[in-house]
């Protein structure tokens, strides 16, 4: 960052700028967000996410967010802690000392099962791996299409065929969820019920296409980010045994071997620091892409024209040495209350900022605590390979998975 300045003009087909000035980031995401529409991979991926909450623009985005917001209030997600812990405990009950597992794949399966049950009251235990694989295939092909001039999907190229097959697998599962719910006489109080019961102008229900787009978006976002966050956290802990030892001592003191009850979460202060630092160094959502709609000027002085594109990278901003001393070092102790309050908006934003910030941030934070503590009290996780390369898709993932050896504590 210090070598290239706060704004970098990237040599791409359309005027594109990497923006790192915190005030500029705040302007784009918080002050004038309606002038900056989504761009990049999320727009290319319309076959997967359609006009779901992550990709849609106002006024549709605002309308859909109002419908779904009650599901993600703290009071609503509070009841999910014990359900999450039960799912995790059941999943790891078959793990054994000395066993080698792909932790990335295990976390993907586990978080998808939790998201499906919590948001849609669906058991995906037997289908999670297939669905997760379809989302992964789609991500890789979306990223490939983003880096090249994409060929029309009607052309029967191998890439297009694989992409369409992945989308079809996702669609089949979502259609099954919707059809099964409509046959039920009792409607559980979950996100799917909120979507089905929503009424708009002239008492119109949500269209089937919009319903499908929101379910796909929430299934993806509800498992992909948390699973990568946890996988990277285990990676960092395995490389920093002193930090892991302090974490285990906190769990022993506060939890005494049990999964965390909701009222205990606030007492896990060092756990919160570890998770915050993991999100700083290896944020699952590692970049945001926007396109200017009208002329604008950023606080740093950059003049923007309609069509100009902006990249905002959490991976880069979270390493700003003006705000993070020794930025490449995993140091959870930095996350004191005073330190958090000292950070300007636009410096640390793992869940984005403003009206487009992640609707499920409270859900994700709770899930990360429950999974980390429930698994971590039972097993020590050790890397098979001491390093992991990064795969920059829509999310930041470990390339080729992450093989670890399990050791019961």
């Amino acid at each position: 960052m210090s070598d290239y300045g706060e704004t970098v003009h990237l040599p791409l087909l359309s005027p594109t700028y990497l923006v790192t000035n915190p005030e500029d980031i705040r302007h784009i995401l918080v002050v004038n967000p309606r002038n900056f529409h989504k761009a990049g991979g999320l727009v290319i991926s319309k076959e997967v996410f359609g006009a779901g909450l992550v990709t849609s623009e106002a006024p549709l985005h605002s309308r859909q967010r109002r419908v779904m917001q009650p599901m993600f209030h703290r009071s609503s997600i509070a009841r999910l802690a014990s359900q999450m812990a039960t799912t995790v405990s059941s999943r790891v009950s078959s793990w054994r000392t000395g066993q080698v597992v792909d932790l990335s794949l295990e976390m993907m399966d586990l978080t998808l099962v939790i998201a499906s049950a919590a948001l849609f009251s669906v058991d995906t235990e037997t289908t999670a791996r297939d669905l997760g694989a379809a989302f992964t295939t789609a991500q890789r092909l979306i990223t490939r299409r983003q880096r090249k001039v994409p060929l029309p999907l009607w052309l029967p190229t191998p890439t297009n065929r694989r992409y369409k097959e992945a989308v079809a697998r996702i669609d089949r599962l979502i259609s099954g969820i919707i059809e099964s719910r409509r046959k039920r006489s009792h409607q559980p109080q979950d996100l799917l019920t909120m979507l089905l019961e929503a009424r708009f102008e002239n008492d119109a229900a949500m269209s089937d296409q919009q319903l499908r787009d929101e379910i796909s978006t929430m299934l993806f976002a509800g498992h992909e980010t948390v699973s990568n966050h946890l996988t990277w956290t285990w990676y960092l802990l395995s490389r920093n045994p002193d930090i892991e030892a302090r974490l285990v001592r906190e769990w022993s003191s506060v939890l005494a071997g049990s999964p965390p009850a909701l009222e205990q979460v606030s007492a896990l202060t060092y756990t919160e620091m570890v998770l915050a630092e993991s999100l700083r160094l290896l944020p699952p959502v590692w970049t945001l892409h926007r396109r200017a709609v009208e002329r604008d000027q950023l606080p740093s002085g950059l003049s923007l024209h309609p069509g100009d594109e902006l990249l905002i990278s959490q991976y880069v901003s979270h390493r700003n040495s003006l705000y993070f001393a020794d930025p490449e070092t995993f140091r959870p102790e930095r996350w004191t209350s005073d330190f958090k309050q000292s950070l300007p908006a636009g410096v640390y934003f793992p869940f984005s900022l403003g009206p487009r910030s992640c609707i499920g941030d409270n859900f994700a934070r709770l899930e990360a605590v429950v999974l980390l503590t429930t698994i971590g009290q039972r097993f020590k996780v050790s890397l098979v390979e001491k390093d992991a390369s990064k795969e920059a898709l829509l999310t930041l993932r470990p390339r080729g998975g992450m093989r670890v050896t399990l050791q019961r504590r």
Side-chain angles (χ1 to χ4, degrees):
M1 191 181 298
S2 58
D3 293 338
Y4 299 98
E6 291 185 321
T7 304
V8 180
H9 182 205
L10 302 175
L12 301 176
L13 292 176
S14 58
T16 305
Y17 302 91
L18 173 65
V19 177
T20 64
N21 179 288
E23 280 301 309
D24 288 351
I25 293 171
R26 182 174 177 274
H27 179 86
I28 295 164
L29 300 180
V30 181
V31 176
N32 194 21
R34 290 206 172 198
N35 192 43
F36 298 96
H37 283 187
K38 291 289 185 81
L42 289 176
V43 174
I44 292 173
S45 63
K46 63 181 180 180
E47 293 82 15
V48 180
F49 305 117
L53 195 65
V54 170
T55 54
S56 61
E57 300 293 345
L60 176 60
H61 175 268
S62 304
R63 186 194 78 174
Q64 295 298 103
R65 188 168 179 120
R66 282 195 300 272
V67 170
M68 290 185 266
Q69 191 68 64
M71 181 67 201
F72 297 99
H73 288 160
R74 288 183 182 273
S75 57
S76 298
I77 66 171
R79 60 184 173 81
L80 299 176
S82 61
Q83 179 184 342
M84 291 176 182
T86 299
T87 302
V88 179
S89 297
S90 174
R91 180 78 181 193
V92 304
S93 63
S94 62
W95 289 6
R96 298 290 180 265
T97 288
Q99 183 178 355
V100 176
V101 300
D102 181 345
L103 191 64
S104 177
L105 196 55
E106 292 290 337
M107 293 300 101
M108 286 285 177
D109 287 354
L110 188 52
T111 54
L112 187 49
V113 170
I114 289 173
S116 301
L119 301 179
F120 305 113
S121 303
V122 173
D123 182 2
T124 56
E125 185 70 43
T126 60
T127 57
R129 186 142 305 183
D130 182 61
L131 179 60
F135 276 127
T136 297
T137 297
Q139 267 204 90
R140 290 195 173 116
L141 297 176
I142 288 164
T143 302
R144 184 180 301 177
R145 294 178 70 206
Q146 185 180 2
R147 291 170 180 167
K148 301 178 180 180
V149 177
L151 295 173
L153 281 176
W154 55 263
L155 285 174
T157 65
T159 296
N160 282 350
R161 284 200 301 269
R162 290 197 301 274
Y163 182 62
K164 292 167 80 170
E165 287 167 3
V167 173
R169 285 155 68 191
I170 295 167
D171 285 345
R172 282 195 297 271
L173 183 96
I174 293 174
S175 294
I177 291 174
I178 296 172
E179 290 172 12
S180 176
R181 176 59 63 87
R182 283 179 167 156
K183 292 176 182 177
R184 292 178 63 166
S185 56
H186 170 69
Q187 300 297 314
Q189 292 305 303
D190 61 8
L191 183 60
L192 183 51
T193 295
M194 290 180 182
L195 297 173
L196 287 167
E197 293 183 350
R199 292 295 180 271
F200 307 108
E201 297 81 6
N202 301 320
D203 200 37
M206 193 175 298
S207 71
D208 283 355
Q209 181 62 48
Q210 189 66 43
L211 190 60
R212 176 257 174 231
D213 293 347
E214 300 298 0
I215 294 173
S216 178
T217 297
M218 287 298 156
L219 281 174
F220 176 79
H223 90 281
E224 178 78 19
T225 53
V226 180
S227 63
N228 284 312
H229 181 199
L230 286 164
T231 301
W232 288 122
T233 301
W234 291 119
Y235 170 77
L236 292 166
L237 290 174
S238 184
R239 291 165 58 93
N240 294 272
D242 292 346
I243 293 173
E244 182 187 22
R246 179 175 170 182
L247 196 59
V248 172
R249 288 195 296 272
E250 178 177 82
W251 298 340
S252 178
S253 173
V254 176
L255 303 176
S258 299
L262 187 65
E263 59 271 15
Q264 293 173 306
V265 171
S266 61
L268 296 168
T269 53
Y270 193 63
T271 302
E272 180 185 351
M273 290 178 172
V274 166
L275 290 169
E277 182 71 345
S278 173
L279 283 172
R280 184 187 72 81
L281 272 177
L282 294 164
V285 179
W286 64 280
T287 189
L288 305 173
H289 198 160
R290 296 290 190 270
R291 179 179 292 110
V293 179
E294 298 177 355
R295 294 178 64 91
D296 204 345
Q297 185 171 41
L298 300 183
S300 65
L302 177 66
S303 294
L304 297 173
H305 299 86
D308 286 356
E309 300 199 7
L310 303 165
L311 292 177
I312 302 169
S313 173
Q314 291 94 324
Y315 189 90
V316 173
S317 291
H318 291 183
R319 285 168 164 75
N320 191 330
S321 60
L322 294 175
Y323 303 98
F324 301 104
D326 200 9
E328 296 293 338
T329 300
F330 182 56
R331 204 172 79 196
E333 293 79 10
R334 72 174 85 235
W335 290 98
T336 63
S337 296
D338 288 344
F339 176 73
K340 287 188 286 187
Q341 292 173 7
S342 74
L343 292 178
V347 172
Y348 177 76
F349 47 103
F351 296 97
S352 191
L353 298 168
R356 301 304 300 257
S357 63
C358 175
I359 193 173
D361 60 346
N362 289 328
F363 181 95
R365 292 177 193 275
L366 175 64
E367 186 177 4
V369 171
V370 172
L371 269 65
L372 186 66
T373 57
T374 304
I375 296 172
Q377 289 184 95
R378 299 186 183 196
F379 291 96
K380 177 179 176 61
V381 173
S382 301
L383 297 170
V384 173
E385 294 89 14
K386 294 305 179 184
D387 203 358
S389 62
K390 305 172 187 70
E391 186 177 18
L393 303 176
L394 297 178
T395 58
L396 188 66
R397 311 181 72 178
R399 187 182 300 276
M402 188 175 295
R403 294 171 66 237
V404 301
T405 303
L406 304 172
Q407 181 71 41
R408 186 171 286 278
R409 296 193 189 277

